[in-house]
PDB file of all heavy atoms in Angstrom:
ATOM      1  N   LEU A 203     -20.660  -4.802 -21.361  1.00 87.00           N
ATOM      2  CA  LEU A 203     -19.533  -5.719 -21.533  1.00 87.00           C
ATOM      3  C   LEU A 203     -19.058  -5.811 -22.976  1.00 87.00           C
ATOM      4  O   LEU A 203     -17.889  -6.125 -23.225  1.00 87.00           O
ATOM      5  CB  LEU A 203     -19.895  -7.104 -21.005  1.00 87.00           C
ATOM      6  CG  LEU A 203     -20.225  -7.159 -19.511  1.00 87.00           C
ATOM      7  CD1 LEU A 203     -20.291  -8.600 -19.035  1.00 87.00           C
ATOM      8  CD2 LEU A 203     -19.226  -6.383 -18.682  1.00 87.00           C
ATOM      9  N   SER A 204     -19.920  -5.510 -23.923  1.00 83.00           N
ATOM     10  CA  SER A 204     -19.486  -5.578 -25.321  1.00 83.00           C
ATOM     11  C   SER A 204     -18.345  -4.588 -25.562  1.00 83.00           C
ATOM     12  O   SER A 204     -17.469  -4.815 -26.396  1.00 83.00           O
ATOM     13  CB  SER A 204     -20.654  -5.268 -26.253  1.00 83.00           C
ATOM     14  OG  SER A 204     -21.202  -4.007 -25.943  1.00 83.00           O
ATOM     15  N   THR A 205     -18.334  -3.487 -24.799  1.00 82.00           N
ATOM     16  CA  THR A 205     -17.342  -2.454 -24.999  1.00 82.00           C
ATOM     17  C   THR A 205     -15.962  -2.859 -24.507  1.00 82.00           C
ATOM     18  O   THR A 205     -14.953  -2.498 -25.086  1.00 82.00           O
ATOM     19  CB  THR A 205     -17.758  -1.182 -24.236  1.00 82.00           C
ATOM     20  OG1 THR A 205     -19.096  -0.895 -24.588  1.00 82.00           O
ATOM     21  CG2 THR A 205     -16.878  -0.020 -24.597  1.00 82.00           C
ATOM     22  N   ILE A 206     -15.926  -3.608 -23.425  1.00 87.00           N
ATOM     23  CA  ILE A 206     -14.634  -3.870 -22.789  1.00 87.00           C
ATOM     24  C   ILE A 206     -14.078  -5.245 -23.144  1.00 87.00           C
ATOM     25  O   ILE A 206     -13.083  -5.690 -22.586  1.00 87.00           O
ATOM     26  CB  ILE A 206     -14.711  -3.676 -21.258  1.00 87.00           C
ATOM     27  CG1 ILE A 206     -15.876  -4.480 -20.642  1.00 87.00           C
ATOM     28  CG2 ILE A 206     -14.883  -2.224 -20.904  1.00 87.00           C
ATOM     29  CD1 ILE A 206     -15.450  -5.789 -20.104  1.00 87.00           C
ATOM     30  N   ARG A 207     -14.721  -5.900 -24.087  1.00 88.00           N
ATOM     31  CA  ARG A 207     -14.292  -7.274 -24.362  1.00 88.00           C
ATOM     32  C   ARG A 207     -12.877  -7.375 -24.923  1.00 88.00           C
ATOM     33  O   ARG A 207     -12.254  -8.427 -24.841  1.00 88.00           O
ATOM     34  CB  ARG A 207     -15.281  -7.997 -25.280  1.00 88.00           C
ATOM     35  CG  ARG A 207     -15.426  -7.380 -26.648  1.00 88.00           C
ATOM     36  CD  ARG A 207     -16.476  -8.097 -27.460  1.00 88.00           C
ATOM     37  NE  ARG A 207     -16.023  -9.421 -27.865  1.00 88.00           N
ATOM     38  CZ  ARG A 207     -16.819 -10.401 -28.281  1.00 88.00           C
ATOM     39  NH1 ARG A 207     -18.121 -10.197 -28.327  1.00 88.00           N
ATOM     40  NH2 ARG A 207     -16.332 -11.559 -28.645  1.00 88.00           N
ATOM     41  N   HIS A 208     -12.352  -6.286 -25.481  1.00 88.00           N
ATOM     42  CA  HIS A 208     -10.995  -6.335 -26.039  1.00 88.00           C
ATOM     43  C   HIS A 208      -9.926  -5.880 -25.048  1.00 88.00           C
ATOM     44  O   HIS A 208      -8.756  -5.751 -25.415  1.00 88.00           O
ATOM     45  CB  HIS A 208     -10.909  -5.488 -27.312  1.00 88.00           C
ATOM     46  CG  HIS A 208     -11.833  -5.988 -28.382  1.00 88.00           C
ATOM     47  ND1 HIS A 208     -11.683  -7.226 -28.955  1.00 88.00           N
ATOM     48  CD2 HIS A 208     -12.926  -5.433 -28.949  1.00 88.00           C
ATOM     49  CE1 HIS A 208     -12.652  -7.404 -29.844  1.00 88.00           C
ATOM     50  NE2 HIS A 208     -13.418  -6.337 -29.854  1.00 88.00           N
ATOM     51  N   ALA A 209     -10.301  -5.620 -23.816  1.00 92.00           N
ATOM     52  CA  ALA A 209      -9.323  -5.206 -22.805  1.00 92.00           C
ATOM     53  C   ALA A 209      -8.245  -6.281 -22.655  1.00 92.00           C
ATOM     54  O   ALA A 209      -8.494  -7.469 -22.870  1.00 92.00           O
ATOM     55  CB  ALA A 209     -10.019  -4.967 -21.467  1.00 92.00           C
ATOM     56  N   ILE A 212      -9.501  -8.555 -17.988  1.00 96.00           N
ATOM     57  CA  ILE A 212     -10.811  -8.270 -17.399  1.00 96.00           C
ATOM     58  C   ILE A 212     -10.817  -8.860 -15.998  1.00 96.00           C
ATOM     59  O   ILE A 212     -10.457 -10.025 -15.803  1.00 96.00           O
ATOM     60  CB  ILE A 212     -11.958  -8.871 -18.246  1.00 96.00           C
ATOM     61  CG1 ILE A 212     -11.962  -8.246 -19.652  1.00 96.00           C
ATOM     62  CG2 ILE A 212     -13.304  -8.655 -17.560  1.00 96.00           C
ATOM     63  CD1 ILE A 212     -12.903  -8.927 -20.630  1.00 96.00           C
ATOM     64  N   HIS A 226     -11.523 -11.877 -22.295  1.00 94.00           N
ATOM     65  CA  HIS A 226     -12.933 -12.146 -22.584  1.00 94.00           C
ATOM     66  C   HIS A 226     -13.164 -13.629 -22.905  1.00 94.00           C
ATOM     67  O   HIS A 226     -14.046 -14.273 -22.321  1.00 94.00           O
ATOM     68  CB  HIS A 226     -13.374 -11.249 -23.748  1.00 94.00           C
ATOM     69  CG  HIS A 226     -14.726 -11.568 -24.280  1.00 94.00           C
ATOM     70  ND1 HIS A 226     -15.877 -11.077 -23.694  1.00 94.00           N
ATOM     71  CD2 HIS A 226     -15.119 -12.343 -25.324  1.00 94.00           C
ATOM     72  CE1 HIS A 226     -16.919 -11.540 -24.371  1.00 94.00           C
ATOM     73  NE2 HIS A 226     -16.491 -12.300 -25.357  1.00 94.00           N
ATOM     74  N   TYR A 236     -18.404 -13.496 -14.878  1.00 92.00           N
ATOM     75  CA  TYR A 236     -18.385 -12.735 -16.130  1.00 92.00           C
ATOM     76  C   TYR A 236     -19.338 -13.348 -17.147  1.00 92.00           C
ATOM     77  O   TYR A 236     -20.128 -12.642 -17.787  1.00 92.00           O
ATOM     78  CB  TYR A 236     -16.961 -12.699 -16.686  1.00 92.00           C
ATOM     79  CG  TYR A 236     -16.824 -11.908 -17.966  1.00 92.00           C
ATOM     80  CD1 TYR A 236     -16.695 -10.523 -17.936  1.00 92.00           C
ATOM     81  CD2 TYR A 236     -16.811 -12.553 -19.200  1.00 92.00           C
ATOM     82  CE1 TYR A 236     -16.559  -9.791 -19.102  1.00 92.00           C
ATOM     83  CE2 TYR A 236     -16.675 -11.826 -20.372  1.00 92.00           C
ATOM     84  CZ  TYR A 236     -16.552 -10.452 -20.325  1.00 92.00           C
ATOM     85  OH  TYR A 236     -16.422  -9.734 -21.489  1.00 92.00           O
ATOM     86  N   TYR A 240     -22.492 -11.543 -18.800  1.00 83.00           N
ATOM     87  CA  TYR A 240     -22.441 -11.374 -20.248  1.00 83.00           C
ATOM     88  C   TYR A 240     -23.733 -11.809 -20.932  1.00 83.00           C
ATOM     89  O   TYR A 240     -24.028 -11.393 -22.042  1.00 83.00           O
ATOM     90  CB  TYR A 240     -21.241 -12.153 -20.814  1.00 83.00           C
ATOM     91  CG  TYR A 240     -20.886 -11.762 -22.220  1.00 83.00           C
ATOM     92  CD1 TYR A 240     -20.355 -10.507 -22.496  1.00 83.00           C
ATOM     93  CD2 TYR A 240     -21.094 -12.643 -23.282  1.00 83.00           C
ATOM     94  CE1 TYR A 240     -20.032 -10.133 -23.784  1.00 83.00           C
ATOM     95  CE2 TYR A 240     -20.769 -12.272 -24.583  1.00 83.00           C
ATOM     96  CZ  TYR A 240     -20.241 -11.023 -24.821  1.00 83.00           C
ATOM     97  OH  TYR A 240     -19.927 -10.652 -26.095  1.00 83.00           O
TER      98      TYR A 240
END
Side-chain angles (χ1 to χ4, degrees):
L203 298 192
S204 56
T205 309
I206 52 96
R207 62 183 289 162
H208 299 296
I212 298 171
H226 171 83
Y236 181 82
Y240 195 68

